Amino acid sequence: MDKKLNLVSINIPWSANYGGMIDIYYRIKALHDCGIKIIPHCFEYERPRATELECICEKVYYYRYCTGIWANIVCLPYNVYSRKNKRLITNLLENNYPILFEGLHTCYYLLKIFFVKCPHIVVL
């Protein structure tokens, strides 16, 4: 049986050149080296799409940030609300693999998924 994992990342974790991205990239690489097939869901922000990441992952999904004035006029923190994307929730619910949310920034859909899909983990 294949071991697969959805991983929601705050940004594209390549190149691994600063704190958060170093942590996420090497976590993906370590899980890959253990035989786990990773499906990262990455938000694009000032970083290009990464063919290096696509080489070690089963499939990589890329999403745009929700920006503009409406992203600032909400009760949630901007860093959480800006990562709201309907394609993300659709893609996460397409399979029954566990979900690793990399940080609170990525947790907009956590409550929706909590009642539908288990297990899921949040890394702070």
Side-chain angles (χ1 to χ4, degrees), residues 71-83:
N72 287 295
I73 306 176
V74 292
C75 294
L76 294 171
Y78 176 78
N79 286 337
V80 174
Y81 190 81
S82 65
R83 288 173 177 87

PDB file of all heavy atoms in Angstrom, residues 71-83:
ATOM      1  N   ALA A  71      -9.565  41.122   1.401  1.00  0.00           N
ATOM      2  CA  ALA A  71      -8.739  40.215   2.201  1.00  0.00           C
ATOM      3  C   ALA A  71      -8.290  40.888   3.501  1.00  0.00           C
ATOM      4  O   ALA A  71      -7.858  40.215   4.426  1.00  0.00           O
ATOM      5  CB  ALA A  71      -7.527  39.763   1.402  1.00  0.00           C
ATOM      6  N   ASN A  72      -8.419  42.215   3.558  1.00  0.00           N
ATOM      7  CA  ASN A  72      -8.012  42.952   4.759  1.00  0.00           C
ATOM      8  C   ASN A  72      -9.184  43.308   5.671  1.00  0.00           C
ATOM      9  O   ASN A  72      -8.977  43.705   6.806  1.00  0.00           O
ATOM     10  CB  ASN A  72      -7.287  44.245   4.351  1.00  0.00           C
ATOM     11  CG  ASN A  72      -5.913  43.955   3.810  1.00  0.00           C
ATOM     12  OD1 ASN A  72      -5.065  43.477   4.536  1.00  0.00           O
ATOM     13  ND2 ASN A  72      -5.705  44.216   2.539  1.00  0.00           N
ATOM     14  N   ILE A  73     -10.409  43.200   5.164  1.00  0.00           N
ATOM     15  CA  ILE A  73     -11.581  43.580   5.950  1.00  0.00           C
ATOM     16  C   ILE A  73     -12.302  42.320   6.426  1.00  0.00           C
ATOM     17  O   ILE A  73     -13.413  42.027   6.023  1.00  0.00           O
ATOM     18  CB  ILE A  73     -12.533  44.478   5.128  1.00  0.00           C
ATOM     19  CG1 ILE A  73     -11.761  45.665   4.571  1.00  0.00           C
ATOM     20  CG2 ILE A  73     -13.699  44.957   5.979  1.00  0.00           C
ATOM     21  CD1 ILE A  73     -12.567  46.560   3.663  1.00  0.00           C
ATOM     22  N   VAL A  74     -11.638  41.549   7.248  1.00  0.00           N
ATOM     23  CA  VAL A  74     -12.208  40.329   7.815  1.00  0.00           C
ATOM     24  C   VAL A  74     -11.736  40.204   9.257  1.00  0.00           C
ATOM     25  O   VAL A  74     -10.809  40.897   9.678  1.00  0.00           O
ATOM     26  CB  VAL A  74     -11.787  39.076   7.009  1.00  0.00           C
ATOM     27  CG1 VAL A  74     -12.408  39.064   5.637  1.00  0.00           C
ATOM     28  CG2 VAL A  74     -10.290  38.961   6.913  1.00  0.00           C
ATOM     29  N   CYS A  75     -12.360  39.315   9.987  1.00  0.00           N
ATOM     30  CA  CYS A  75     -11.986  39.118  11.391  1.00  0.00           C
ATOM     31  C   CYS A  75     -10.760  38.216  11.554  1.00  0.00           C
ATOM     32  O   CYS A  75     -10.165  38.192  12.618  1.00  0.00           O
ATOM     33  CB  CYS A  75     -13.155  38.520  12.156  1.00  0.00           C
ATOM     34  SG  CYS A  75     -14.555  39.643  12.271  1.00  0.00           S
ATOM     35  N   LEU A  76     -10.425  37.495  10.527  1.00  0.00           N
ATOM     36  CA  LEU A  76      -9.258  36.616  10.592  1.00  0.00           C
ATOM     37  C   LEU A  76      -7.982  37.382  10.260  1.00  0.00           C
ATOM     38  O   LEU A  76      -8.030  38.375   9.534  1.00  0.00           O
ATOM     39  CB  LEU A  76      -9.410  35.471   9.589  1.00  0.00           C
ATOM     40  CG  LEU A  76     -10.531  34.481   9.855  1.00  0.00           C
ATOM     41  CD1 LEU A  76     -10.693  33.534   8.677  1.00  0.00           C
ATOM     42  CD2 LEU A  76     -10.249  33.700  11.122  1.00  0.00           C
ATOM     43  N   PRO A  77      -6.842  36.894  10.727  1.00  0.00           N
ATOM     44  CA  PRO A  77      -5.582  37.529  10.337  1.00  0.00           C
ATOM     45  C   PRO A  77      -5.380  37.440   8.821  1.00  0.00           C
ATOM     46  O   PRO A  77      -5.751  36.441   8.192  1.00  0.00           O
ATOM     47  CB  PRO A  77      -4.524  36.704  11.070  1.00  0.00           C
ATOM     48  CG  PRO A  77      -5.246  36.027  12.172  1.00  0.00           C
ATOM     49  CD  PRO A  77      -6.649  35.821  11.696  1.00  0.00           C
ATOM     50  N   TYR A  78      -4.783  38.467   8.249  1.00  0.00           N
ATOM     51  CA  TYR A  78      -4.549  38.512   6.808  1.00  0.00           C
ATOM     52  C   TYR A  78      -3.771  37.291   6.331  1.00  0.00           C
ATOM     53  O   TYR A  78      -4.068  36.723   5.285  1.00  0.00           O
ATOM     54  CB  TYR A  78      -3.796  39.799   6.434  1.00  0.00           C
ATOM     55  CG  TYR A  78      -3.449  39.863   4.965  1.00  0.00           C
ATOM     56  CD1 TYR A  78      -4.406  40.213   4.023  1.00  0.00           C
ATOM     57  CD2 TYR A  78      -2.167  39.552   4.515  1.00  0.00           C
ATOM     58  CE1 TYR A  78      -4.099  40.261   2.673  1.00  0.00           C
ATOM     59  CE2 TYR A  78      -1.852  39.591   3.177  1.00  0.00           C
ATOM     60  CZ  TYR A  78      -2.818  39.952   2.255  1.00  0.00           C
ATOM     61  OH  TYR A  78      -2.516  39.985   0.922  1.00  0.00           O
ATOM     62  N   ASN A  79      -2.760  36.869   7.099  1.00  0.00           N
ATOM     63  CA  ASN A  79      -1.932  35.725   6.694  1.00  0.00           C
ATOM     64  C   ASN A  79      -2.735  34.428   6.592  1.00  0.00           C
ATOM     65  O   ASN A  79      -2.351  33.529   5.854  1.00  0.00           O
ATOM     66  CB  ASN A  79      -0.770  35.526   7.661  1.00  0.00           C
ATOM     67  CG  ASN A  79       0.296  36.562   7.471  1.00  0.00           C
ATOM     68  OD1 ASN A  79       0.421  37.154   6.412  1.00  0.00           O
ATOM     69  ND2 ASN A  79       1.080  36.802   8.508  1.00  0.00           N
ATOM     70  N   VAL A  80      -3.812  34.316   7.330  1.00  0.00           N
ATOM     71  CA  VAL A  80      -4.675  33.135   7.245  1.00  0.00           C
ATOM     72  C   VAL A  80      -5.684  33.313   6.120  1.00  0.00           C
ATOM     73  O   VAL A  80      -5.831  32.445   5.259  1.00  0.00           O
ATOM     74  CB  VAL A  80      -5.408  32.892   8.586  1.00  0.00           C
ATOM     75  CG1 VAL A  80      -6.422  31.761   8.456  1.00  0.00           C
ATOM     76  CG2 VAL A  80      -4.409  32.604   9.697  1.00  0.00           C
ATOM     77  N   TYR A  81      -6.385  34.436   6.109  1.00  0.00           N
ATOM     78  CA  TYR A  81      -7.442  34.651   5.123  1.00  0.00           C
ATOM     79  C   TYR A  81      -6.900  34.715   3.698  1.00  0.00           C
ATOM     80  O   TYR A  81      -7.563  34.282   2.759  1.00  0.00           O
ATOM     81  CB  TYR A  81      -8.216  35.932   5.441  1.00  0.00           C
ATOM     82  CG  TYR A  81      -9.468  36.076   4.612  1.00  0.00           C
ATOM     83  CD1 TYR A  81     -10.627  35.400   4.960  1.00  0.00           C
ATOM     84  CD2 TYR A  81      -9.474  36.866   3.469  1.00  0.00           C
ATOM     85  CE1 TYR A  81     -11.770  35.509   4.190  1.00  0.00           C
ATOM     86  CE2 TYR A  81     -10.612  36.982   2.690  1.00  0.00           C
ATOM     87  CZ  TYR A  81     -11.765  36.304   3.062  1.00  0.00           C
ATOM     88  OH  TYR A  81     -12.887  36.409   2.297  1.00  0.00           O
ATOM     89  N   SER A  82      -5.699  35.230   3.522  1.00  0.00           N
ATOM     90  CA  SER A  82      -5.134  35.352   2.178  1.00  0.00           C
ATOM     91  C   SER A  82      -4.841  33.985   1.550  1.00  0.00           C
ATOM     92  O   SER A  82      -4.680  33.870   0.343  1.00  0.00           O
ATOM     93  CB  SER A  82      -3.856  36.193   2.199  1.00  0.00           C
ATOM     94  OG  SER A  82      -2.852  35.549   2.948  1.00  0.00           O
ATOM     95  N   ARG A  83      -4.810  32.940   2.360  1.00  0.00           N
ATOM     96  CA  ARG A  83      -4.577  31.593   1.833  1.00  0.00           C
ATOM     97  C   ARG A  83      -5.882  30.808   1.687  1.00  0.00           C
ATOM     98  O   ARG A  83      -5.900  29.589   1.692  1.00  0.00           O
ATOM     99  CB  ARG A  83      -3.577  30.863   2.715  1.00  0.00           C
ATOM    100  CG  ARG A  83      -2.183  31.429   2.520  1.00  0.00           C
ATOM    101  CD  ARG A  83      -1.193  30.864   3.493  1.00  0.00           C
ATOM    102  NE  ARG A  83       0.144  31.369   3.226  1.00  0.00           N
ATOM    103  CZ  ARG A  83       0.628  32.497   3.712  1.00  0.00           C
ATOM    104  NH1 ARG A  83      -0.120  33.265   4.476  1.00  0.00           N
ATOM    105  NH2 ARG A  83       1.851  32.882   3.425  1.00  0.00           N
TER     106      ARG A  83
END
